[in-house]
């Protein structure tokens, strides 16, 4: 599917079927994550898919499918992975006159 193309009816139906399957799995987190990885790969026609969780300063591959299957359990430091950077707290850094670095969170900027 190209960036400008709309999802096909088949893809949309697959999303609905995936939602139903997730609901049936209930509270089995590993089963849900595995299903999501498998369905994401299938729906997008990718070679593999990964579901990552943030744990103790790392991004951990908790569910994998297809070509990514051998990466199950892989740990990447948050600051060394794109997904880790995407979930990192937003901050703005500025240097003041004496050379020290000031870091501001969004809540401090928009009071």
């Amino acid at each position: 599917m190209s960036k400008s193309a709309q999802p096909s009816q088949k893809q949309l139906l697959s999303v609905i079927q995936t939602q139903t399957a997730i609901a049936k799995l209930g509270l089995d987190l590993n089963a849900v994550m595995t299903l999501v990885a498998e369905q994401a790969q299938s729906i997008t026609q990718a070679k593999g898919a990964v579901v990552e969780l943030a744990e103790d300063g790392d991004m951990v591959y908790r569910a994998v499918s297809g070509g990514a299957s051998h990466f199950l359990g892989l740990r990447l430091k948050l600051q060394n992975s794109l997904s880790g950077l995407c979930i990192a707290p937003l901050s703005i850094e500025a240097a003041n006159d004496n050379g020290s670095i000031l870091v501001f969170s969004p809540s401090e900027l928009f009071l």
Side-chain angles (χ1 to χ4, degrees):
M1 183 172 72
S2 71
K3 290 181 183 180
S4 61
Q6 295 294 315
S8 69
Q9 188 171 3
K10 180 180 175 185
Q11 288 170 315
L12 294 173
L13 182 58
S14 292
V15 170
I16 293 168
Q17 291 169 337
T18 301
Q19 292 171 327
T20 301
I22 289 169
K24 289 179 181 178
L25 288 172
L27 300 177
D28 185 345
L29 181 59
N30 286 329
V32 168
M33 290 188 298
T34 298
L35 175 70
V36 167
E38 291 168 350
Q39 289 303 104
Q41 177 189 351
S42 175
I43 293 168
T44 61
Q45 299 176 353
K47 294 188 188 292
V50 174
V51 174
E52 294 174 271
L53 295 179
E55 296 178 5
D56 301 321
D58 293 334
M59 294 302 294
V60 183
Y61 287 27
R62 288 292 172 206
V64 293
S65 69
S69 294
H70 60 286
F71 290 114
L72 183 63
L74 178 71
R75 301 181 79 89
L76 298 170
K77 292 292 179 196
L78 284 170
Q79 66 271 21
N80 294 335
S81 82
L82 179 59
S83 54
L85 294 174
C86 289
I87 66 163
L90 177 65
S91 65
I92 297 175
E93 298 179 7
N96 65 12
D97 290 340
N98 67 8
S100 63
I101 302 294
L102 306 172
V103 179
F104 300 95
S105 69
S107 61
E108 294 171 312
L109 295 172
F110 302 105
L111 295 176

